[in-house]
Amino acid sequence: LKGRALQHMDAKTDGEEVVYTPSREPGWKQEYNDLWFEYLNEKGGKGVSKDTWLMFFDFVRTIDDKFEKHDVEAAWPSAIDDFAVWVKSRID
């Protein structure tokens, strides 16, 4: 279970296509994939918990393209909240 608890960032190539899910509404953009992995590398650490990854996919489907509707009071993991603040400062 220990080895399965974290998903390593080396899986970027496998995850890029899964993360980007275009929709009719302005939302997650393909370039945000690179920003997510840049953020994770900058933050350091060994990986991302499985629970965070699962919630991240929900986040990707619900976030607007400017991250303006992100609610830090919602039940997102702190890694996702921190990423939203981090990326918003780069796209403004």
Side-chain angles (χ1 to χ4, degrees):
L1 187 63
K2 233 186 218 181
R4 295 176 188 241
L6 297 178
Q7 302 296 317
H8 293 283
M9 292 178 288
D10 296 339
K12 176 183 176 189
T13 309
D14 296 337
E16 282 183 13
E17 294 174 14
V18 176
V19 172
Y20 179 60
T21 53
S23 69
R24 293 182 201 165
E25 300 292 323
W28 188 265
K29 297 179 182 180
Q30 190 167 4
E31 60 261 26
Y32 295 161
N33 293 345
D34 290 335
L35 290 174
W36 169 245
F37 289 104
E38 181 182 333
Y39 165 77
L40 293 176
N41 285 325
E42 232 179 70
K43 179 183 162 204
K46 295 181 180 180
V48 177
S49 72
K50 183 178 179 181
D51 289 339
T52 297
W53 273 119
L54 293 173
M55 291 191 76
F56 182 74
F57 293 120
D58 288 336
F59 174 76
V60 165
R61 287 190 295 271
T62 60
I63 194 66
D64 62 287
D65 65 336
K66 304 258 189 227
F67 288 70
E68 293 171 342
K69 297 178 183 175
H70 175 67
D71 181 4
V72 293
E73 299 298 320
W76 298 112
S78 62
I80 292 174
D81 284 333
D82 294 345
F83 169 70
V85 170
W86 182 90
V87 78
K88 191 171 184 323
S89 71
R90 281 160 176 73
I91 62 173
D92 280 344

